[in-house]
Amino acid sequence: MKLHILILLAITSFFANAQDATPISQDIAINQHINGTLLKPNTPASTLAIIIGGSGPTDKDGNQNFQKTNNIKKLATHLANQNIATFRYDKRIVKQIRNKTVANNIMFDDFVADASAVMTYFKNKNNYKHIYIIGHDQGSLIGMLAAKDAADGFISIAGTALSIDQLITEQVEKTAPQFTADTKRIFKLLKAGKTTTDYPVALSSIFNIETQRFIMNWMQYNPIDILSTLEIPILITNGTKDLQVSEAEAKLLHYAAPTSELKIIPNMNHVLVTISGGDLENSKSYNESQRPLSPELLNCITTFINH
């Protein structure tokens, strides 16, 4: 009987501790544009990481209509379990789509303003001794701009080293070289502050008139130039199986900030999971939310923040 009681007490204690360790989730409205989730460890944390998602209508968990990985949510959960609080938020375009109030005049600077508003909100709360910014994909550039003179550290995950016009031109040269001349011509007009309806139908997804001013605003920022001005600890990460941002770009960012840490993660792809096969497995993983994030990525981010 005593043995049974001891076993029962041990099991009860285990589940009680497991429940106690569950992170505390709190939904917060930063302003009229931004809603997100603060995920806090069960024990007091001195550090907060603000996680900024990638391009497109990316929600706070890292998902879009045709892409579900939950990668931002998984990263936030991991960090909370390592006694690091996190805040992740829906990009403002997500809220607009849900409310059917999409603004045609949205600018890249709006995304930067949103990230800065999140930073200001938590700095004013003064609940955390250190605040880091983690930016994935487009969120890397947004994070660099928001981190300047505000954050205690910055982490780039799969962030490009090229301005958006350079990046798109390079992609067109590789995948549809017959449109290279048109692409360069249109970017030259945008750089001069002019819009145009003279573009090939094949390029309409890039250069439709509704997005030209957004791109015009976005292309003024060069990640290499921005990163080189940050005077805080920097971690740059990229995967060797990233089909969208090459490890060469991570190295260019590292060269722009020589004191930064660079981590090239074998077999990690753009949505931060490990790929053992080829491009088919890689592309399918964009909708396989059951996949775990790369352990090496999680470890290097945790180590960097706790250093």
Side-chain angles (χ1 to χ4, degrees), residues 92-121:
R92 71 161 63 190
I93 187 68
V94 173
K95 186 173 183 179
Q96 291 178 0
I97 291 172
R98 288 172 181 164
N99 294 336
K100 298 180 180 180
T101 56
V102 177
N104 290 329
N105 62 347
I106 193 168
M107 292 289 167
F108 181 81
D109 280 344
D110 292 326
F111 295 149
V112 179
D114 293 340
S116 296
V118 172
M119 170 65 74
T120 300
Y121 175 91

Side-chain angles (χ1 to χ4, degrees), residues 274-303:
T274 301
I275 300 298
S276 57
D279 289 354
L280 179 59
E281 180 194 351
N282 203 333
S283 58
K284 285 177 63 179
S285 71
Y286 282 57
N287 267 304
E288 296 176 336
S289 59
Q290 77 279 8
R291 284 177 175 263
L293 298 191
S294 161
E296 193 168 349
L297 174 72
L298 298 177
N299 289 338
C300 74
I301 290 176
T302 303
T303 301

Side-chain angles (χ1 to χ4, degrees), residues 250-290:
K251 292 175 182 176
L252 286 173
L253 290 175
H254 176 55
Y255 297 149
T259 60
S260 64
E261 294 183 30
L262 174 65
K263 189 70 173 179
I264 303 297
I265 301 174
N267 299 319
M268 186 181 78
N269 74 353
H270 194 70
V271 294
L272 317 183
V273 302
T274 301
I275 300 298
S276 57
D279 289 354
L280 179 59
E281 180 194 351
N282 203 333
S283 58
K284 285 177 63 179
S285 71
Y286 282 57
N287 267 304
E288 296 176 336
S289 59
Q290 77 279 8

Side-chain angles (χ1 to χ4, degrees), residues 11-275:
I11 292 173
T12 304
S13 176
F14 171 81
F15 281 109
N17 289 335
Q19 290 172 353
D20 289 345
T22 302
I24 301 166
S25 182
Q26 179 185 354
D27 291 333
I28 297 175
I30 300 296
N31 54 34
Q32 71 271 30
H33 301 297
I34 293 301
N35 297 83
T37 297
L38 176 66
L39 197 62
K40 299 185 291 184
N42 193 264
T43 55
S46 62
T47 301
L48 171 73
I50 298 168
I51 309 175
I52 305 171
S55 58
T58 304
D59 70 16
K60 64 182 180 180
D61 294 334
N63 302 326
Q64 298 183 19
N65 284 343
F66 302 104
Q67 175 181 313
K68 187 171 183 180
T69 65
N70 282 327
N71 54 5
I72 293 179
K73 182 178 182 180
K74 291 172 187 174
L75 175 58
T77 302
H78 169 81
L79 292 175
N81 288 331
Q82 301 299 313
N83 207 44
I84 299 167
T86 63
F87 183 78
R88 63 192 197 276
Y89 61 92
D90 296 328
K91 293 179 71 175
R92 71 161 63 190
I93 187 68
V94 173
K95 186 173 183 179
Q96 291 178 0
I97 291 172
R98 288 172 181 164
N99 294 336
K100 298 180 180 180
T101 56
V102 177
N104 290 329
N105 62 347
I106 193 168
M107 292 289 167
F108 181 81
D109 280 344
D110 292 326
F111 295 149
V112 179
D114 293 340
S116 296
V118 172
M119 170 65 74
T120 300
Y121 175 91
F122 284 105
K123 286 181 78 74
N124 288 343
K125 288 289 183 182
N126 200 30
N127 292 330
Y128 298 98
K129 185 176 180 180
H130 304 291
I131 301 180
Y132 284 70
I133 287 183
I134 303 174
H136 174 242
D137 185 74
Q138 184 195 68
S140 173
L141 177 56
I142 294 169
M144 291 179 201
L145 291 161
K148 187 171 174 60
D149 300 324
D152 296 295
F154 170 68
I155 299 170
S156 171
I157 307 175
T160 179
L162 306 176
S163 60
I164 189 58
D165 55 314
Q166 292 173 320
L167 181 62
I168 291 175
T169 301
E170 183 180 274
Q171 290 176 345
V172 170
E173 287 174 337
K174 290 178 179 178
T175 60
Q178 68 272 28
F179 296 115
T180 300
D182 280 308
T183 299
K184 291 181 177 179
R185 172 181 58 81
I186 297 165
F187 275 129
K188 186 175 181 180
L189 287 170
L190 296 182
K191 195 166 287 188
K194 301 175 182 178
T195 59
T196 180
T197 56
D198 180 16
Y199 50 81
V201 174
L203 297 179
S204 59
S205 62
I206 302 172
F207 294 119
N208 69 78
I209 194 66
E210 289 81 12
T211 62
Q212 285 184 26
R213 292 199 178 278
F214 178 85
I215 293 176
M216 197 184 298
N217 180 215
W218 186 359
M219 64 192 281
Q220 70 179 297
Y221 297 111
N222 186 308
I224 287 177
D225 293 340
I226 303 300
L227 193 68
S228 67
T229 66
L230 297 189
E231 298 179 350
I232 54 177
I234 298 169
L235 171 64
I236 299 163
T237 67
N238 214 91
T240 62
K241 290 203 173 178
D242 191 322
L243 299 177
Q244 295 172 242
V245 180
S246 71
E247 56 193 273
E249 292 195 52
K251 292 175 182 176
L252 286 173
L253 290 175
H254 176 55
Y255 297 149
T259 60
S260 64
E261 294 183 30
L262 174 65
K263 189 70 173 179
I264 303 297
I265 301 174
N267 299 319
M268 186 181 78
N269 74 353
H270 194 70
V271 294
L272 317 183
V273 302
T274 301
I275 300 298

